[in-house]
Amino acid sequence: MLLFLGTMNYSRFLTAVSAARKPSPIRILTELQQRSPPSLISLAGGAPNPNTFPFQSATIQVKNGEAVVFDETTMKRALQYSGSYGIPELVSWMKELQRSLHNPPTANYSPETGQMEMCVTTGSQEGLCKVFEMLVNPGDNVLLDAPTYSGTLAALQPLGCNIINVPSDQYGMIPEGLRDILSRWDPSDARKPGSNLPRVLYTIPNGGNPTGASMTTERKQQVYELARKYDLLIIEDDPYYFLQFQKPWAPTFLSMDVDGRIIRTDSFSKILSSGLRIGFVTGPKPLVDRVVLHIQASTMHTSTFTQVTHHATYTPLLFHSLSLFHSLSLLLSLSRSFSLSPTLSLSLSLSLSLSVSIHIYVCVCVHKFVVNDEA
Ligand SMILES: Cc1ncc(COP(=O)(O)O)c(C=O)c1O
């Protein structure tokens, strides 16, 4: 197979709007201030004096019995503007998390060749929406597995692109279907200005919304090879990653990304809180930097209070949530013995608390027993 070889040309993927974005001077000052000692008083930005804010301290009671206390100093920081990539300690923690979960080949690349970069977003939806605006022009052909998440369509459709549905089944996108669609073009078209060869492929690899389908490792590898052949970027929208029932967890596109062509969106909405609105974008630095320029010009940054809260609480909560989902994975394996569909089990886990899930699950199993016994 002819593969795309050599350094990625990221500029060929950018929309005119994204390419025109310039760093906001005031945001650069905030990034500098974030790295300075607290004694520095900057008169350059419009940062209010946090001593004038009415909130003094906060306590969050964690379900495991621990309490997270924000003292006055932490509160002053949590109530202040912060940098657009995210607060440094949360970004560092997330980078470590991505390294340990996915071991991305790009982690040690040079910045211009697609080094892994990350930024915090206000839920993964913000990241997705900004990624689409960075990459999709009116009239562009965009590939995605159908049916897909309505929030994706809400962000994509107004951009005036032409959505090409790639066939999928219970194991997600079908590589042969993708190959058939792409065979309308020659891989060398990717280098021709004005070519209508798709440049972007979007997929939800785990617990697809609304299908519940999860892609196998083999399919991911085949799709990644096709992306290399036709020089596509893959948007890996994976908010259900932490809800996987089977172990070991399937390798991600990010873990296979030798070229720097994966933009991954993660979310804490499904395991920590959806209302606190924390997601993160991981991808090649030249592209994540563009997303951050958009953040600089729009929300400026995800709520500092929310980020500080996540940073202070994620360890106990993440472990609590993961153990919760370990319990649910047990439920799923039990569900197989009673031939309940994975989608039903997944929706149970997503929408209900553990105790309610167990209650309903038991009712469903009992019902199945009764029905089966009667049949
Ligand atoms: C596939 C998919 N992507 C993204 C999102 C957005 O999640 P978040 O709350 O992180 O913005 C959702 C939410 O349900 C989703 O199902």
Side-chain angles (χ1 to χ4, degrees):
M1 185 194 282
L2 177 71
L3 293 180
F4 169 83
L5 291 175
T7 317
M8 297 280 294
N9 171 12
Y10 292 110
S11 58
R12 105 172 176 82
F13 294 97
L14 300 181
T15 59
V17 171
S18 183
R21 291 193 187 282
K22 297 265 181 300
S24 150
I26 202 132
R27 293 276 78 215
I28 296 172
L29 285 171
T30 309
E31 299 281 349
L32 277 176
Q33 192 167 4
Q34 204 168 241
R35 293 198 294 271
S36 311
S39 53
L40 178 111
I41 299 172
S42 168
L43 303 178
N49 180 347
N51 292 325
T52 64
F53 294 144
F55 313 105
Q56 194 170 334
S57 65
T59 304
I60 296 173
Q61 192 66 48
V62 184
K63 280 183 182 168
N64 69 2
E66 287 173 23
V68 178
V69 180
F70 295 158
D71 61 14
E72 209 174 329
T73 313
T74 310
M75 273 306 264
K76 281 183 186 161
R77 187 164 167 241
L79 297 173
Q80 190 55 280
Y81 289 122
S82 56
S84 296
Y85 284 85
I87 60 170
E89 62 271 39
L90 185 61
V91 176
S92 309
W93 180 79
M94 286 174 170
K95 283 185 177 169
E96 270 317 303
L97 182 74
Q98 293 305 62
R99 284 200 189 100
S100 61
L101 293 174
H102 312 289
N103 191 19
T106 50
N108 298 318
Y109 286 13
S110 63
E112 59 288 353
T113 56
Q115 181 185 53
M116 182 190 88
E117 181 57 282
M118 295 186 69
C119 68
V120 178
T121 52
T122 304
S124 59
Q125 182 71 29
E126 186 201 10
L128 279 176
C129 194
K130 289 191 159 66
V131 166
F132 290 139
E133 289 192 14
M134 168 175 70
L135 302 175
V136 179
N137 294 292
D140 279 0
N141 286 318
V142 175
L143 299 156
L144 48 83
D145 38 2
T148 198
Y149 165 54
S150 57
T152 293
L153 295 174
L156 260 183
Q157 276 166 340
L159 301 177
C161 58
N162 175 36
I163 291 173
I164 302 181
N165 293 323
V166 182
S168 65
D169 60 17
Q170 71 269 37
Y171 302 113
M173 186 174 282
I174 303 173
E176 290 71 32
L178 177 63
R179 190 173 293 116
D180 276 357
I181 291 170
L182 287 169
S183 66
R184 296 179 210 161
W185 291 274
D186 189 275
S188 65
D189 290 346
R191 303 298 173 94
K192 293 183 189 147
S195 154
N196 68 351
L197 171 67
R199 291 173 298 123
V200 173
L201 179 146
Y202 165 89
T203 185
I204 307 166
N206 291 300
N209 182 350
T211 60
S214 294
M215 259 176 123
T216 59
T217 305
E218 200 188 355
R219 283 196 179 183
K220 282 184 193 161
Q221 283 160 344
Q222 290 169 354
V223 168
Y224 189 80
E225 288 311 309
L226 284 166
R228 299 191 83 191
K229 182 173 175 185
Y230 288 91
D231 196 16
L232 311 174
L233 293 178
I234 298 179
I235 302 171
E236 177 175 44
D237 177 17
D238 209 356
Y240 303 105
Y241 178 76
F242 296 108
L243 309 190
Q244 289 180 80
F245 296 115
Q246 267 159 341
K247 300 285 176 306
W249 287 352
T252 56
F253 281 111
L254 185 66
S255 71
M256 304 171 183
D257 191 18
V258 285
D259 295 336
R261 61 176 70 252
I262 302 301
I263 305 171
R264 181 179 162 84
T265 52
D266 278 279
S267 174
F268 284 155
S269 287
K270 314 299 175 181
I271 54 165
L272 295 183
S273 156
S274 45
L276 281 173
R277 309 301 298 129
I278 289 271
F280 42 112
V281 175
T282 309
K285 186 165 173 54
L287 296 180
V288 175
D289 286 351
R290 292 273 130 198
V291 171
V292 174
L293 290 183
H294 194 169
I295 294 174
Q296 287 187 356
S298 54
T299 52
M300 301 210 275
H301 59 82
T302 294
S303 154
T304 319
F305 184 81
T306 289
Q307 293 188 63
V308 170
T309 303
H310 269 75
H311 183 251
T313 55
Y314 55 70
T315 313
L317 289 179
L318 197 58
F319 284 123
H320 168 82
S321 304
L322 289 178
S323 61
L324 177 84
F325 289 108
H326 284 148
S327 316
L328 287 164
S329 68
L330 185 67
L331 281 186
L332 184 85
S333 40
L334 282 172
S335 80
R336 296 231 167 81
S337 0
F338 298 106
S339 354
L340 293 184
S341 81
T343 316
L344 172 61
S345 306
L346 186 59
S347 3
L348 279 176
S349 69
L350 289 180
S351 46
L352 305 168
S353 73
L354 179 60
S355 53
V356 178
S357 310
I358 291 173
H359 178 77
I360 293 188
Y361 180 84
V362 168
C363 294
V364 173
C365 289
V366 168
H367 175 75
K368 279 214 120 194
F369 257 129
V370 172
V371 171
N372 287 345
D373 280 357
E374 280 174 355

